[in-house]
Amino acid sequence: MNINATIIGQIIAFAVFVAFCMKYVWPPIMQALEERKKKIADGLAAAERGRHEQELAEKRAQQVIHEAKEQASEIVSQAQKRGNEIVDESKNNARVEGERILNSAKAEIDQEANRARDELKSQVGGIALAGAGKILGREIDEKAHTDLLDELVSRI
Amino acid sequence: MASEITTSEYIKHHLQNLTFGQKQVETEPGVWAPTGEWGFAMSTGEAANMGFWSINVDTMFMSILLGTLMMWFFRSVAKKVSAGIPTATQNFAEMIIDFIDDTVRGSFSGGKNNLVAPLALTIFVWVFLMNLMDLIPVDVIPQIVMQSAGAIFGVDPHHVYFKIVPTTDPNATLGMAIFVFMLMLYYSFKIKGAGGFIGELTLQPFGKWAMPINTVLETVTLIAKPFSLGLRLFGNMYAGEMVFILIATMYGASLVLGSFAGLLQIGWAIFHILIITLQAFIFMVLTTVYLDMAHQEHH
């Protein structure tokens, strides 16, 4: 337990270890620690940003949904209106068409009736003429009495 | 413990370093003369008379072994270090380094300095490892060394000494303290300049009219720093080692006393874990603080 040259040896050994530590140990490990610190900070910042963006996206989505709902209800009401219109229109059309058919039928009936009447008139004239001829004998000049008969027929 | 030696001899044996130097012979009681040969001291008296140019081989061997072990560990981590997910080993190293870094940042305010933090790391881990040797039962390694030296070199094992705790050798602790002192002086000169440093030593605390008193006071203060630093560590570890040795002397006495000694040794070892860590920490913090003071300009 006496002071001897060991003290010098210890100073040298200590200096060598410190120098080694200072050169080859401390800087790489410290650098890695700093890098990791930075990485973690970046990660946290990115997460924060992501959360913010998500919030924004959610807000936007809500807005889009709201708009879509509004649009949908608008479309539905329009469709209803249009449906009603179509129904009204077809009712109208049906009525008009019905009237038209009815009118044409009536006209046809009238036409038919007139024709039948005319035919009947002419037949009646012939029958009357034939009757009169039979009654008056064969001398009656058919030609001389045609005018008379026509006049008769037109009066019927 | 060898039964043919007395307790006092046993304790003395444990407190003697393995010293290599100029061989001495005792010509008459208390008077030693060099033989001109070099070799290991075979007795406490011979070691004491070898003079300054002798070396404690056990202290040097153990401290360099532990220091190399420490540097190998940290270097192997530093080589594979990654900023991604750390391995368990890297995690362990990082934990220590982070702790040192925090402590240094807390007590060193001298701006950017690439030396202080690695210095603190080296001190803390190295001193801790050297102190840790104290927890190995006191006879294990010395006995291995003594018996193998006896078997290999044919020396009487009782004249082979081996202390495995380098920090119980004042050479080791004072050597470290002197290195720290040299750094203190270097930074004092570098930061404050020769004038500033001399001014600091002579102009305070009493002003320029009391220069001699100031010089004496400040020089004592300055010199006391490395001395207290080295001797504090040495004293604590030496005392702790002494208690272990004293407990060990009880083992041969009787079964009851031996079992009691076993319990005592466990208790003291558990308590000593605290001292080991604390002393390493104190050495580190004081070094940082002293270097911080060397960086401060006084006005």
Side-chain angles (χ1 to χ4, degrees):
Chain A
M1 216 184 63
N2 12 344
I3 297 297
N4 56 29
T6 312
I7 202 166
I8 298 171
Q10 284 291 325
I11 293 172
I12 295 166
F14 188 32
V16 169
F17 286 136
V18 170
F20 183 85
C21 185
M22 195 175 148
K23 215 166 165 131
Y24 299 109
V25 171
W26 192 264
I29 295 181
M30 234 25 220
Q31 198 191 342
L33 286 179
E34 291 299 322
E35 244 171 66
R36 184 169 322 130
K37 241 180 234 172
K38 203 176 151 297
K39 244 187 196 174
I40 291 172
D42 286 354
L44 287 177
E48 187 59 35
R49 218 167 37 237
R51 227 182 41 190
H52 186 67
E53 264 165 27
Q54 197 202 359
E55 256 169 40
L56 280 184
E58 255 169 31
K59 230 180 251 176
R60 226 179 33 225
Q62 292 262 330
Q63 206 179 340
V64 167
I65 288 170
H66 188 69
E67 271 172 22
K69 270 183 185 165
E70 257 177 19
Q71 237 169 11
S73 68
E74 200 177 314
I75 287 170
V76 167
S77 70
Q78 258 178 4
Q80 264 171 355
K81 213 166 91 184
R82 177 87 189 113
N84 288 343
E85 269 174 17
I86 287 170
V87 168
D88 284 353
E89 208 177 272
S90 36
K91 269 184 189 166
N92 256 353
N93 283 352
R95 197 176 325 112
V96 170
E97 180 71 6
E99 270 170 20
R100 196 182 58 79
I101 290 170
L102 204 60
N103 286 345
S104 74
K106 271 184 185 164
E108 215 173 314
I109 289 166
D110 282 352
Q111 225 176 351
E112 277 305 304
N114 284 345
R115 215 172 39 176
R117 202 181 293 146
D118 284 353
E119 212 171 302
L120 216 54
K121 268 180 196 168
S122 63
Q123 279 177 7
V124 166
I127 290 165
L129 204 59
K134 267 180 186 157
I135 296 164
L136 297 174
R138 305 258 163 140
E139 296 94 35
I140 296 173
D141 188 5
E142 245 178 79
K143 263 193 190 152
H145 298 288
T146 305
D147 297 339
L148 193 70
L149 281 173
D150 280 347
E151 197 196 320
L152 193 72
V153 167
S154 71
R155 256 192 302 171
I156 296 172
Chain B
M1 125 183 204
S3 52
E4 65 266 34
I5 59 170
T6 64
T7 303
S8 148
E9 276 170 351
Y10 174 79
I11 295 171
K12 266 191 192 163
H13 191 272
H14 266 292
L15 295 179
Q16 178 57 48
N17 282 104
L18 178 64
T19 311
F20 182 87
Q22 234 174 349
K23 296 283 281 174
Q24 306 279 327
V25 280
E26 197 170 18
T27 49
E28 47 190 287
V31 180
W32 294 79
T35 62
E37 285 173 54
W38 290 78
F40 289 106
M42 286 296 155
S43 69
T44 308
E46 190 180 359
N49 282 282
M50 275 181 166
F52 183 76
W53 291 110
S54 55
I55 194 152
N56 293 343
V57 179
D58 47 1
T59 302
M60 288 306 295
F61 174 76
M62 288 307 291
S63 59
I64 290 175
L65 176 75
L66 293 169
T68 311
L69 201 71
M70 156 181 87
M71 286 305 159
W72 168 79
F73 170 72
F74 279 110
R75 182 61 193 154
S76 68
V77 169
K79 265 191 204 157
K80 289 180 288 185
V81 76
S82 78
I85 299 163
T87 60
T89 321
Q90 190 188 330
N91 213 352
F92 177 65
E94 275 178 13
M95 201 176 73
I96 299 171
I97 285 178
D98 226 26
F99 165 68
I100 303 288
D101 195 46
D102 275 354
T103 314
V104 171
R105 270 176 216 280
S107 46
F108 183 78
S109 55
K112 193 166 161 48
N113 188 317
N114 290 331
L115 175 81
V116 177
L119 175 73
L121 174 70
T122 311
I123 289 175
F124 181 69
V125 181
W126 197 29
V127 171
F128 176 79
L129 286 176
M130 291 195 288
N131 289 354
L132 194 67
M133 294 299 108
D134 218 358
L135 293 184
I136 299 174
V138 285
D139 273 320
V140 175
I141 290 176
Q143 278 298 331
I144 292 172
V145 172
M146 281 159 68
Q147 299 308 331
S148 49
I152 296 166
F153 302 109
V155 231
D156 182 1
H158 292 142
H159 293 302
V160 177
Y161 303 95
F162 202 81
K163 270 173 81 177
I164 58 162
V165 192
T167 41
T168 56
D169 181 353
N171 288 302
T173 60
L174 284 175
M176 294 177 81
I178 287 171
F179 183 67
V180 171
F181 185 60
M182 284 167 13
L183 288 175
M184 280 162 65
L185 292 183
Y186 169 73
Y187 281 114
S188 291
F189 276 110
K190 191 183 166 196
I191 306 290
K192 294 174 246 195
F197 185 45
I198 291 167
E200 195 179 291
L201 287 178
T202 53
L203 297 179
Q204 52 171 5
F206 297 125
K208 58 184 172 180
W209 300 115
M211 225 179 248
I213 300 169
N214 291 341
T215 311
V216 171
L217 280 176
E218 284 297 311
T219 309
V220 168
T221 311
L222 187 70
I223 302 294
K225 282 174 188 169
F227 262 97
S228 64
L229 190 63
L231 290 179
R232 177 184 301 105
L233 178 59
F234 162 70
N236 274 282
M237 297 323 295
Y238 187 77
E241 174 80 348
M242 193 65 148
V243 174
F244 276 122
I245 293 169
L246 288 176
I247 291 170
T249 59
M250 289 161 71
Y251 280 125
S254 70
L255 191 63
V256 179
L257 216 55
S259 329
F260 178 62
L263 282 177
L264 265 184
Q265 188 181 341
I266 292 170
W268 181 242
I270 290 170
F271 179 64
H272 213 57
I273 293 171
L274 176 73
I275 296 177
I276 282 169
T277 320
L278 195 66
Q279 286 306 319
F281 182 70
I282 288 174
F283 202 108
M284 177 194 89
V285 169
L286 282 180
T287 301
T288 315
V289 169
Y290 288 159
L291 286 180
D292 181 48
M293 284 160 81
H295 280 72
Q296 302 293 326
E297 301 254 13
H298 291 274
H299 298 287

